Amino acid sequence: MSDIQLTIDGKKVTVAKGTTIIEAARKAGIEIPHLCYGGWMIPSGDCRLCVVEVAGSKKLAPSCVYPAANNMVVMTSSERVIKARKMVIELLLSDHPFDCMTCEKSGSCRLEKYAYELGVSTSRFKGEKHNFKIDESNPFFTRDYNKCILCERCVKACSDVQFVNAIDVTYRGFKTKVATPYDRPLQDSPCIFCGQCIAVCPTGALTEKARKGKGREWELKKVETVCPYCGVGCNLQLNVKGNQIVKVTSALDSVVNKGRLCAKGRFGFDFVHSRERLTKPLIRVGEKGEGKFRDASWEEVLDLVANKFNEIKKETGPDSLAFLASAKCTNEENFLMQKLARAAAGTNNIDHCARLCHAPSVVGLAATFGSGAMTNSIHEIRHTDCIFIIGSNTSESHPIIGIEVMEAVRNGKAKLIVADPRKIRMVEFAHLWLRQKPGSDVALVNGLVNIILSEGWQDTAFINARTEGFEAMVEAVKEYTPEVTSKITGVPVADLKEAARLYAKAGNAFILYSMGITQHTTGTENVMALANLVMVTGNIGREGAGMCPLRGQNNVQGSCDMGGLPNVLPGYQAVINSESRKKFEKHWKVTLPDKVGLTMVEMMNAIAERKIRGMYILGEDPVLADPNSNHVIEALKSLDLLVVQDILPSETVKLADVVLPGVSFAEKDGTFTNTERRVQLVRKAIEPPGEARQDWMIISDIATRMGYPMKYASPAHIMEEISLLAGNLFGGVNYERLEGNGLQWPCTSEEHPGTPYLHKDQFTCGLGQFKPVKYKGPYENPDEEYPFVLSTGRMLFHWHGGNMSRHSVGLDKIKPEADVEINPVDAKKMSAGDGDLVEMVSRRGKIVTRVKVTDRSPEGVAFMTFHFKEAPVNRLTLDVVDPLAKIPSLKVCSVRINPVKEKAGGV
């Protein structure tokens, strides 16, 4: 596209052809007033505040829609322009409340700003005043229609940015307002409460309820940090006054999320200020599991923990101790946690919740590609040609990545294939939906590879140059003809062939997957099958083509990187490799254990066998998160010493002997690593409550008291050690370089810019390794006694065990209790309707919950989230594990569902 040159307010400006005047002016550093315009949406030119004078034109031009032209001369603040803008402001003020002194938006209201700049203090036009009822019906924000100027920014944000279409301009004339269809409450609309409408509203028409009366815009300090929820790693601005977070915003130029947030990221921060925060060290009194504690001093609890751990170590050896790191905590804290386990306690018994989500990705991709991480960057998704989502409820579990997919489909050229037994929201955007039977993923993917090979759609040059093991893989997929695959999976033959064609014939293609692939006894084989599909088509090693495991928790990638696993030291250096150990031993001045430790599920079994006597849990809640939770509870109760470090009470905290109060993301410095391997700074915004202490300090103090001194000045100091010892990934990472957009590992030196996508010229392991895999059915299948398949997962408004999101008032109000999704056909058979109570029973336990009748779940399949302690679904799930990654089967087990008669006053 050729460039053009124009003059704006006497400045020569060169821009690309097709650039609008307002964009050209911004390039020249000239800001043109505007109300309806936003660079993230299609401009409309409705408000007319952005008018400018173009030499030779009789009419003023709306600069947001008027294209710049070569040799054009533009005046942005001529007398004629100023007069027109004043008229616009006066017309808007004619029916607008003059309550700026008490309006929450004062200081950030654009109408106020431009009225002040133009000197408009009143209006000549005395229009009738609106008297709309203020809408307080939802728990997150207030809509004051009387302050709405009908700029439609909220409508466009909802439709063009979030692709929700929950609101539109309704009614006519003076009664015109923005509302949902039929003017119903937002809860009865498709609204996902992302708050994007608030972010773009230029007046006080939309304001957060949480900020009411807590601070005006000029009083708020903005602290840049990273969202503590999912693995997307959205960039946040904590708006703070005093020692309280007033609201959360995000800059439009933020590298990860471009100003977009989900309901949790924008409104789910009030857990930080919960009255239930743990603020003092606690020691159990009474029976285990009763949750009764007494206050204690830090000296007392730190001495107790260190002395008891040393006693256990002396009596029955270091492997009698076990440690759980945390995907909620920073890289620096996880690094110290594994150092405490290995250097101070002398065991590799350290694991964390990655075992329950992406352990098969780490194992499977390491075996095929040499690296178990997401291969590409989030922003590349919108520029690819084909996206294959399998085993990922993307729009609910990773909402901002879901938007990237929607943009790729709606605004780009991408074809979307969705493979999921449930009718998730992404199906609405899909060109093709493959509704496979739960647990049939290996057969499905092998069938796609079979079709690609049969049609000759493989990338032979890539296979020959960059892979090995191809012939064995070809032999393995021969039996998965379209007909055989269709019989196993339930997917029609025609859809299988179309899916194979769309993916193989695309110029660039992405695979996005998550726990629907990994949480199976065949999780590693599922991942390897997908890796085979990627390599057969050559869709890796370049921008816009790759395989992307979407990480679940905010720092699950980082906690793996830091060695929070029983088989690897930081930087994925194997504990059984003597050279790797020597490097750490030299720096840490200690002999390290050389055998692989126990995983989470193995730890629980070892506790039951009295092989483990002491456990230290950092920010994890295995009682809710682990499978077969009755077994977990009994195991934790039997420990000689259970230490739990957390910020809020949890089901696991109730079982602790010692509780150590840590600090939230808003009260600490450090780093998180998101799903695209981007290491980003987390910044302290407020002081912690009571006697809560920095987590890294607590860990260091315990190690020191155990006889292994850990002395650090700050988290930045800890990162220096990480960079030194995990230089293969973090050699060039330091806090100074992380300012701004962070860095994507591997970043091996201070000159290295970071790595947006992996495996460019060769795989990390050299040649990519095809792995022949065969379909194996689920470990547990439905029968007469347990006729339903139970699958578990997440939902938009809550996260993990709910320990943060359920302490957020708005999130808990919008979704206060659990339910089980069942198909209308199944509901009719058991005479159950929406809201009815049912008892769910498996071979391991039972729970009571309410029914949600929906065709999202296929017949014979029940779906539940695991966010609610009142209906702990993991009492039902299997603790049988994948033999390679040791992940339990959380996606497929068998249950029966019995209606329950609800008595007056309760069940």
Side-chain angles (χ1 to χ4, degrees):
M1 188 177 288
S2 59
D3 289 342
I4 58 172
Q5 190 178 76
L6 68 160
T7 302
I8 305 178
D9 291 347
K11 289 185 179 181
K12 295 285 187 183
V13 188
T14 301
V15 295
K17 189 177 180 180
T19 302
T20 60
I21 292 175
I22 199 169
E23 292 168 338
R26 280 188 169 179
K27 185 177 179 182
I30 300 168
E31 186 65 25
I32 297 175
H34 58 277
L35 287 169
C36 70
Y37 171 76
W40 35 266
M41 64 186 184
I42 299 170
S44 62
D46 289 340
C47 76
R48 282 315 199 249
L49 191 65
C50 72
V51 291
V52 295
E53 189 170 359
V54 177
S57 177
K58 294 181 179 180
K59 296 181 179 180
L60 296 178
S63 62
C64 67
V65 294
Y66 205 94
N70 206 29
N71 299 320
M72 178 183 279
V73 177
V74 177
M75 292 158 283
T76 69
S77 55
S78 66
E79 182 179 348
R80 185 182 171 198
V81 167
I82 297 300
K83 184 178 179 181
R85 287 182 187 155
K86 285 183 175 182
M87 175 74 76
V88 170
I89 295 296
E90 284 193 70
L91 287 168
L92 290 172
L93 291 178
S94 68
D95 62 352
H96 196 84
F98 279 80
D99 62 350
C100 299
M101 289 182 291
T102 58
C103 180
E104 294 291 342
K105 208 66 173 281
S106 184
S108 60
C109 172
R110 284 186 173 272
L111 183 59
E112 178 188 56
K113 167 186 167 64
Y114 296 136
Y116 174 78
E117 290 177 356
L118 291 166
V120 180
S121 58
T122 186
S123 176
R124 290 169 290 167
F125 311 104
K126 303 300 180 185
E128 182 182 348
K129 294 291 183 180
H130 285 111
N131 191 26
F132 288 121
K133 183 180 178 182
I134 296 175
D135 183 2
E136 300 272 10
S137 61
N138 76 80
F140 300 112
F141 55 87
T142 298
R143 181 184 282 278
D144 186 347
Y145 290 105
N146 301 294
K147 296 178 182 178
C148 177
I149 60 172
L150 294 174
C151 65
E152 298 187 41
R153 284 168 66 95
C154 60
V155 174
K156 292 171 183 174
C158 189
S159 61
D160 299 349
V161 178
Q162 293 286 349
F163 302 99
V164 174
N165 297 298
I167 53 176
D168 207 339
V169 176
T170 60
Y171 301 101
R172 292 184 179 182
F174 194 65
K175 293 182 179 180
T176 302
K177 68 175 185 175
V178 174
T180 64
Y182 305 104
D183 207 1
R184 292 172 175 167
L186 279 167
Q187 292 92 315
D188 298 331
S189 78
C191 181
I192 58 175
F193 295 100
C194 62
Q196 198 69 30
C197 53
I198 298 173
V200 302
C201 180
T203 69
L206 291 167
T207 54
E208 302 92 338
K209 283 186 175 180
R211 71 169 289 181
K212 190 172 183 179
K214 293 180 181 177
R216 308 297 284 274
E217 199 67 27
W218 58 85
E219 299 175 294
L220 304 181
K221 177 180 72 172
K222 293 182 185 290
V223 181
E224 302 282 345
T225 191
V226 182
C227 183
Y229 284 104
C230 80
V232 176
C234 291
N235 309 121
L236 304 183
Q237 296 168 327
L238 300 183
N239 291 244
V240 175
K241 181 185 177 185
N243 200 47
Q244 188 170 31
I245 302 169
V246 173
K247 66 174 182 175
V248 170
T249 53
S250 183
L252 289 175
D253 60 353
S254 54
V255 64
V256 173
N257 53 307
K258 301 171 182 64
R260 303 166 301 186
L261 295 171
C262 74
K264 296 187 294 294
R266 195 177 300 277
F267 301 115
F269 60 85
D270 44 336
F271 71 89
V272 172
H273 301 299
S274 170
R275 293 180 180 179
E276 295 187 53
R277 279 291 299 271
L278 298 170
T279 60
K280 292 183 178 181
L282 304 172
I283 294 177
R284 177 180 58 83
V285 293
E287 294 297 316
K288 279 207 174 191
E290 291 181 351
K292 295 180 180 178
F293 302 94
R294 67 170 175 85
D295 292 349
S297 69
W298 275 108
E299 291 296 315
E300 182 182 9
V301 293
L302 293 173
D303 284 342
L304 187 158
V305 171
N307 292 338
K308 188 62 178 178
F309 278 177
N310 278 339
E311 178 187 311
I312 292 170
K313 179 181 175 181
K314 183 177 180 181
E315 290 176 357
T316 50
D319 289 335
S320 299
L321 298 173
F323 300 80
L324 293 184
S326 176
K328 300 183 186 75
C329 291
T330 65
N331 289 319
E332 294 77 7
E333 292 155 356
N334 280 288
F335 178 81
L336 294 192
M337 194 67 179
Q338 62 83 36
K339 186 176 179 180
L340 168 67
R342 293 181 164 115
T347 181
N348 282 318
N349 289 343
I350 179 155
D351 205 7
H352 71 291
C353 68
R355 186 66 49 198
L356 306 177
C357 57
H358 273 293
S361 296
V362 175
V363 175
L365 294 184
T368 51
F369 299 162
S371 171
M374 181 167 166
T375 60
N376 293 66
S377 300
I378 293 169
H379 73 86
E380 296 174 35
I381 295 171
R382 67 173 66 189
H383 303 300
T384 193
D385 302 300
C386 180
I387 302 165
F388 181 22
I389 296 177
I390 180 168
S392 166
N393 186 359
T394 318
S395 62
E396 296 205 41
S397 296
H398 303 90
I400 302 307
I401 291 180
I403 294 172
E404 292 287 331
V405 174
M406 295 170 198
E407 285 192 354
V409 174
R410 286 279 185 92
N411 300 334
K413 55 184 178 179
K415 303 295 183 184
L416 175 62
I417 308 162
V418 175
D420 201 297
R422 294 175 66 232
K423 190 177 182 181
I424 60 175
R425 185 181 175 219
M426 300 309 301
V427 170
E428 299 173 19
F429 298 83
H431 297 82
L432 190 62
W433 176 27
L434 310 179
R435 195 173 204 176
Q436 80 273 35
K437 294 176 182 176
S440 64
D441 303 292
V442 165
L444 174 65
V445 179
N446 278 358
L448 297 179
V449 174
N450 177 290
I451 294 168
I452 290 167
L453 294 173
S454 299
E455 296 291 339
W457 293 334
Q458 69 270 25
D459 188 336
T460 303
F462 182 91
I463 294 167
N464 291 339
R466 296 195 53 186
T467 70
E468 60 185 6
F470 177 66
E471 292 76 13
M473 188 278 298
V474 171
E475 192 62 32
V477 301
K478 277 184 179 178
E479 65 186 270
Y480 298 93
T481 63
E483 293 72 25
V484 169
T485 302
S486 179
K487 187 174 181 180
I488 295 171
T489 64
V491 178
V493 168
D495 288 349
L496 292 169
K497 290 182 176 180
E498 178 64 3
R501 186 189 69 81
L502 287 174
Y503 181 80
K505 300 295 282 183
N508 290 309
F510 264 126
I511 292 178
L512 305 181
Y513 74 91
S514 195
M515 285 167 274
I517 281 292
T518 58
Q519 288 180 334
H520 296 271
T521 53
T522 57
T524 303
E525 292 173 334
N526 290 348
V527 172
M528 289 175 172
L530 288 172
N532 291 340
L533 176 60
V534 166
M535 289 188 288
V536 159
T537 56
N539 273 304
I540 195 165
R542 62 182 182 274
E543 188 173 354
M547 184 167 171
C548 301
L550 304 180
R551 302 297 185 181
Q553 295 199 54
N554 58 306
N555 200 35
V556 69
Q557 180 66 61
S559 47
C560 290
D561 300 341
M562 294 300 104
L565 299 168
N567 61 326
V568 291
L569 293 156
Y572 302 97
Q573 299 170 82
V575 299
I576 61 172
N577 184 297
S578 60
E579 292 304 311
S580 294
R581 288 199 313 278
K582 283 178 183 176
K583 178 172 64 173
F584 284 85
E585 287 172 341
K586 181 180 179 181
H587 191 77
W588 289 349
K589 297 178 174 58
V590 68
T591 300
L592 294 176
D594 60 359
K595 70 174 183 177
V596 174
L598 299 179
T599 64
M600 287 181 75
V601 176
E602 290 171 334
M603 286 177 188
M604 298 305 164
N605 294 331
I607 294 169
E609 297 167 5
R610 293 294 294 163
K611 292 178 181 177
I612 289 177
R613 296 170 52 202
M615 178 174 262
Y616 184 172
I617 298 176
L618 173 65
E620 297 275 324
D621 191 5
V623 170
L624 276 186
D626 284 22
N628 193 2
S629 57
N630 285 333
H631 171 62
V632 173
I633 291 168
E634 291 307 310
L636 295 179
K637 280 183 177 180
S638 70
L639 285 164
D640 292 5
L641 183 69
L642 173 59
V643 181
V644 181
Q645 186 168 317
D646 215 323
I647 63 171
L648 287 158
S650 70
E651 296 303 288
T652 301
V653 165
K654 290 178 183 178
L655 304 176
D657 296 294
V658 175
V659 179
L660 307 175
V663 301
S664 76
F665 83 109
E667 299 148 358
K668 65 175 65 173
D669 292 314
T671 58
F672 292 156
T673 305
N674 76 345
T675 192
E676 62 178 355
R677 299 168 283 103
R678 188 180 298 276
V679 185
Q680 301 184 97
L681 286 173
V682 178
R683 295 176 176 88
K684 183 178 179 181
I686 57 176
E687 293 298 323
E691 297 176 30
R693 292 187 65 197
Q694 296 295 324
D695 293 274
W696 68 269
M697 290 182 178
I698 300 171
I699 298 166
S700 298
D701 283 348
I702 290 173
T704 301
R705 280 171 164 79
M706 288 181 69
Y708 184 81
M710 280 194 199
K711 301 294 182 183
Y712 296 95
S714 66
H717 186 197
I718 301 169
M719 180 54 76
E720 290 175 13
E721 186 173 331
I722 295 169
S723 300
L724 176 68
L725 295 175
N728 57 325
L729 300 183
F730 290 85
V733 176
N734 59 58
Y735 276 32
E736 186 177 350
R737 293 195 73 203
L738 293 177
E739 290 289 346
N741 294 334
L743 290 165
Q744 289 173 273
W745 67 253
C747 179
T748 54
S749 70
E750 293 200 2
E751 293 73 39
H752 196 290
T755 309
Y757 60 91
L758 301 176
H759 317 302
K760 180 180 179 183
D761 299 311
Q762 67 173 25
F763 287 99
T764 305
C765 59
L767 293 175
Q769 303 293 309
F770 280 104
K771 297 292 181 181
V773 291
K774 296 280 189 177
Y775 166 70
K776 304 180 185 102
Y779 182 87
E780 188 174 79
N781 288 293
D783 55 25
E784 288 187 9
E785 188 176 4
Y786 300 97
F788 282 89
V789 172
L790 171 66
S791 186
T792 67
R794 298 182 179 185
M795 66 167 297
L796 179 63
F797 297 113
H798 286 297
W799 180 75
H800 211 57
N803 206 33
M804 286 160 48
S805 61
R806 296 203 63 207
H807 281 90
S808 172
V809 175
L811 295 176
D812 200 47
K813 187 173 181 180
I814 206 78
K815 184 62 179 177
E817 62 179 341
D819 50 41
V820 55
E821 288 185 4
I822 58 174
N823 188 273
V825 174
D826 295 320
K828 187 176 181 180
K829 287 178 182 177
M830 66 176 70
S831 300
D834 268 339
D836 287 354
L837 282 169
V838 292
E839 179 186 60
M840 299 184 65
V841 186
S842 77
R843 293 176 175 88
R844 292 151 295 280
K846 60 184 178 180
I847 61 172
V848 174
T849 189
R850 296 194 181 275
V851 163
K852 182 177 181 180
V853 180
T854 172
D855 64 357
R856 292 186 76 182
S857 290
E859 289 181 50
V861 175
F863 173 82
M864 274 195 77
T865 63
F866 57 100
H867 310 305
F868 298 89
K869 62 184 180 182
E870 300 87 351
V873 70
N874 279 322
R875 285 185 187 172
L876 312 178
T877 51
L878 277 165
D879 54 2
V880 178
V881 299
D882 174 320
L884 296 173
K886 307 295 179 69
I887 192 172
S889 178
L890 295 169
K891 283 292 180 277
V892 180
C893 72
S894 301
V895 298
R896 67 171 178 266
I897 304 175
N898 305 319
V900 173
K901 289 185 178 179
E902 192 168 4
K903 302 173 184 176
V907 179

